[in-house]
Amino acid sequence: GRARADLGDVRVFNGRGEILPYALWRGEATASSQSLEIQAPFFPLAAAAQPGAATGEVSLTVRRAADGSLVAIHLAEPARRVPASVPGIVIDASQLPGARSLSLTAAPGRQGFHAFSLESSDDLQHWQNLQANGMFVDLEHAGHQLAKHAVTWARPAGRYLRLLWRDASQAPSLRTVTLGRSDSVVRPVERLWSELLMPSAVREGSYDYVVPGQLPLERLRIELPQANLLLPYELQREICGMEFRRHHARPHEACYWQPLAQGVAYRLESPEGEVRAADLELPGMPVARLRLLFDQRGGSLVGASPAIRIGFVPQDLVFLARGEPPFTLAWGAATVAAADLPLATLIPAYRAGAGLPAGSARLLPEVHTARSAASAVSVGKTREAADAPTPWLLWSVLLAGLLVMALLARSLIVQMGKAKEKAKNTAG
């Protein structure tokens, strides 16, 4: 299995056994923005023609459709008493919820600076300020034009907007009102999940799991077999190494369990539906065996066992296909240093977010297991696998491939050891 979580033990060889340069590429979440605009219906307001009425006071009757959109606004005062000036407008923003910008176009005439305030409401009764110092500018002289027709604000607007001119007698005559909103779209990084893993060994409150292919442990999802369970737990992983015991000339494998994390697994029913614990986030180390220890004070599982899933972000291995195929992927030498290059170094013309300029490739049976942690991508030719191979032939090829990779790894370690010894002698 892999010896390092960062894939630093991986090497790529061509058909002549030469080491090839490679890079590891890991997908990342991407964000983009999408702008939306609509031309919204608006309704002019008129000041009430009552003696002593304050500037900007409005008396009106509103009629709305079943979906909340405005159908009409009627003046409360007789038409003969309505002054010629228009103190503002009411804008129906129900077709673009959460608008954050407004743009106005006006009929020719009344050039200058026109200050206004902008308010928001969801019921046409209670208004909140959005922009207290808006400015509509429209100037023209000697064939030149200076204009500022748009305004933005910080928080999302409600279903209706009310624009009130500071000086209604000089206000422009509006033709159109355009509302806008910019939405951010985040595409999460692709994450792969293992199949449902059932425990290989069960004891009271303890469950052991065998992880296929030493998957990198970045996310852990615990699937409880029953509803209305809440169980505190400790997660452990098995670590095995070689140790020398007294009176024994050969080393023996020693294994122990290392605590990784603690949490609470739950699966509860609620009126809104079932609620489950969030996935456990972990550093991404490769694991072969896991153990869950449940606190018996939270209850016990009878007749059923919890299952787990392991999630991780796959990495692409990109290498320079120099020389003749077949190209071999080798790993497992824990003492070698990482040798991967930045992707921009391996492919100088590569731009972040662009696709990888790789040709088609086909994996041979002996390297197929590498996809559990990295996908092999070739930019050259690869040897085609035989059609419809027999089982004994597949096993023969697999064993031969494993032997070749073991020899290559051993050869690499020996070469590095000789290089270090030579450097030491030279320094001495």
Side-chain angles (χ1 to χ4, degrees):
R2 292 183 297 111
R4 293 176 50 167
D6 61 356
L7 301 180
D9 55 321
V10 171
R11 294 295 185 270
V12 183
F13 300 88
N14 62 15
R16 297 179 57 182
E18 298 171 330
I19 299 178
L20 303 180
Y22 71 94
L24 295 171
W25 179 80
R26 179 187 177 97
E28 298 179 350
T30 58
S32 61
S33 60
Q34 179 182 12
S35 297
L36 302 175
E37 287 188 348
I38 66 165
Q39 189 167 310
F42 66 95
F43 304 85
L45 301 175
Q50 297 177 357
T55 303
E57 289 185 358
V58 178
S59 177
L60 48 91
T61 301
V62 178
R63 186 159 60 91
R64 288 184 288 181
D67 62 355
S69 60
L70 295 181
V71 177
I73 295 182
H74 299 287
L75 300 175
E77 299 296 331
R80 59 183 174 84
R81 299 179 62 186
V82 177
S85 62
V86 177
I89 60 173
V90 171
I91 306 166
D92 184 357
S94 59
Q95 301 304 312
L96 188 66
R100 291 178 180 264
S101 68
L102 174 145
S103 179
L104 307 171
T105 60
R110 293 195 178 180
Q111 299 181 45
F113 294 81
H114 307 283
F116 63 88
S117 63
L118 192 64
E119 301 169 320
S120 171
S121 174
D122 285 321
D123 57 8
L124 292 171
Q125 296 180 12
H126 304 88
W127 297 89
Q128 294 181 338
N129 181 62
L130 281 181
Q131 178 62 262
N133 300 305
M135 186 68 69
F136 179 86
V137 180
D138 197 352
L139 300 173
E140 186 175 353
H141 177 70
H144 300 285
Q145 188 175 18
L146 178 63
K148 180 181 183 298
H149 296 169
V151 64
T152 61
W153 51 89
R155 59 187 178 84
R159 293 172 62 87
Y160 311 105
L161 300 176
R162 183 169 68 181
L163 184 151
L164 297 176
W165 299 109
R166 189 168 300 171
D167 185 355
S169 63
Q170 299 297 321
S173 177
L174 297 179
R175 284 184 171 179
T176 64
V177 174
T178 302
L179 297 177
R181 187 185 73 202
S182 181
D183 295 339
S184 295
V185 179
V186 178
R187 296 178 178 84
V189 63
E190 177 193 11
R191 191 178 302 280
L192 299 182
W193 289 91
S194 71
E195 61 184 3
L196 204 63
L197 303 178
M198 300 302 296
S200 59
V202 177
R203 291 172 295 279
E204 186 175 0
S206 175
Y207 301 86
D208 293 353
Y209 301 86
V210 177
V211 180
Q214 287 196 333
L215 301 179
L217 187 59
E218 297 178 3
R219 292 286 192 279
L220 180 73
R221 181 176 298 170
I222 301 175
E223 303 280 1
L224 296 177
Q226 304 163 8
N228 290 330
L229 287 175
L230 191 148
L231 301 172
Y233 67 85
E234 179 179 86
L235 176 68
Q236 300 178 348
R237 70 160 174 167
E238 186 183 45
I239 296 180
C240 293
M242 304 302 291
E243 68 172 14
F244 287 86
R245 296 181 180 177
R246 192 176 182 181
H247 306 304
H248 291 277
R250 294 184 179 181
H252 292 263
E253 187 174 57
C255 299
Y256 64 96
W257 291 94
Q258 178 192 48
L260 289 181
Q262 293 181 336
V264 178
Y266 57 85
R267 178 181 170 186
L268 306 174
E269 293 180 346
S270 72
E272 291 76 23
E274 198 169 76
V275 180
R276 301 192 179 210
D279 300 332
L280 180 64
E281 298 186 18
L282 293 155
M285 73 289 289
V287 293
R289 286 166 58 87
L290 289 173
R291 172 174 289 176
L292 280 175
L293 296 174
F294 287 103
D295 191 336
Q296 296 296 297
R297 293 175 296 178
S300 60
L301 298 173
V302 179
S305 299
I308 64 171
R309 292 184 189 273
I310 292 176
F312 63 96
V313 177
Q315 297 189 60
D316 290 338
L317 188 148
V318 186
F319 65 91
L320 181 62
R322 184 185 70 240
E324 294 296 322
F327 302 107
T328 304
L329 183 66
W331 63 89
T335 58
V336 300
D340 59 300
L341 299 171
L343 190 58
T345 302
L346 188 67
I347 308 177
Y350 177 76
R351 292 179 293 105
L356 296 174
S360 60
R362 187 169 183 178
L363 298 179
L364 298 176
E366 60 264 29
V367 297
H368 190 271
T369 55
R371 186 61 181 90
S372 63
S375 56
V377 181
S378 172
V379 293
K381 297 180 180 179
T382 56
R383 185 176 63 190
E384 295 292 332
D387 295 330
T390 58
W392 65 267
L393 180 58
L394 284 176
W395 279 108
S396 299
V397 174
L398 178 60
L399 293 175
L402 291 174
L403 179 60
V404 170
M405 284 188 288
L407 292 175
L408 288 174
R410 182 178 180 278
S411 175
L412 177 62
I413 295 174
V414 171
Q415 291 176 12
M416 293 184 67
K418 290 181 179 179
K420 290 182 180 179
E421 185 67 25
K422 182 177 180 181
K424 183 177 179 181
N425 295 334
T426 302

